[in-house]
């Protein structure tokens, strides 16, 4: 073997060694894991667990949330909006419909689902009676796999006109 052939063989061996040591990329997101993430996010919201809810959101300035026509940019702004005063409401919960998932890349996906927001408030007559209103709507989320696990990087939810109150 001449020197140039030895050099080529050494380069090929080095390339093979480097590629063998390269980390294996994680598998592409599956529809099931994105659906489970969305369900866990809604469950944390329904439980009123702000700590768990905020733990599911990417902790950086690029995260965004749109709710009730307002845009919140960055984890800090989303965290502040999450803890805004809802004293006029006794309870808010979300019922989630089927979650459709569209993969955007190996590590990110779009989730779209119908939802119904149920808001309970105390009647305005001062009787202490709970009045329940349902707001049908939809949500979208963009979810990304990070070293910490799946994280929400964008969400948008909106509701349609108020349905007649139950118990009014």
């Amino acid at each position: 073997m001449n020197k140039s052939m030895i050099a080529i063989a050494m380069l090929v061996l080095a390339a093979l060694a480097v590629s063998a040591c390269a980390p294996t990329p994680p598998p592409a997101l599956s529809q099931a894991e994105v659906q489970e993430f969305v369900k866990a996010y809604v469950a944390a919201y329904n439980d009123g667990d702000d700590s768990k809810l905020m733990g599911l959101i990417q902790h950086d300035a690029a995260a965004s949330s749109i709710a009730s026509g307002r845009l919140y940019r960055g984890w800090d702004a989303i965290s502040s909006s999450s803890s805004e005063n809802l004293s006029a409401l006794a309870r808010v919960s979300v019922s989630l419909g089927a979650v459709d998932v569209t993969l955007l890349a190996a590590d990110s996906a779009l989730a779209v689902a119908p939802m119904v927001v149920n808001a309970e408030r105390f009647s305005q007559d001062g009787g202490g009676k709970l009045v329940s209103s349902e707001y049908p709507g939809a949500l979208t989320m963009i979810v990304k796999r990070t070293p910490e696990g799946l994280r929400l990087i964008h969400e948008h939810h909106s509701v349609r006109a108020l349905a007649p109150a139950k118990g009014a």
Side-chain angles (χ1 to χ4, degrees), residues 10-42:
M10 295 297 285
L11 286 173
V12 169
L13 285 174
L16 288 173
V18 168
S19 67
C21 295
T24 304
L29 288 174
S30 71
Q31 288 191 350
E33 74 181 308
V34 174
Q35 290 167 334
E36 288 305 312
F37 176 88
V38 173
K39 291 175 186 175
Y41 186 88
V42 169

Side-chain angles (χ1 to χ4, degrees), residues 40-66:
Y41 186 88
V42 169
Y45 177 83
N46 286 341
D47 291 344
D49 190 341
D50 275 350
S51 174
K52 186 173 185 179
L53 190 69
M54 292 308 299
L56 296 172
I57 298 172
Q58 181 65 28
H59 197 273
D60 65 28
S64 59
S65 175
I66 299 173

Side-chain angles (χ1 to χ4, degrees), residues 57 61-66 71-74 78 152-156:
I57 298 172
S64 59
S65 175
I66 299 173
L71 172 61
Y72 301 92
R73 292 182 192 267
I78 296 169
L152 182 133
I153 58 173
H154 176 76
E155 69 173 334
H156 181 187

Side-chain angles (χ1 to χ4, degrees), residues 1-14:
M1 266 190 176
N2 66 27
K3 288 184 180 182
S4 63
M5 288 183 74
I6 293 173
I8 290 172
M10 295 297 285
L11 286 173
V12 169
L13 285 174

Side-chain angles (χ1 to χ4, degrees), residues 34-35 38 99-102 104 109-113 139-143:
V34 174
Q35 290 167 334
V38 173
V99 180
D100 295 327
V101 176
T102 302
L104 302 174
L110 168 68
V112 178
L139 64 83
T140 60
M141 294 182 174
I142 298 178
V143 177

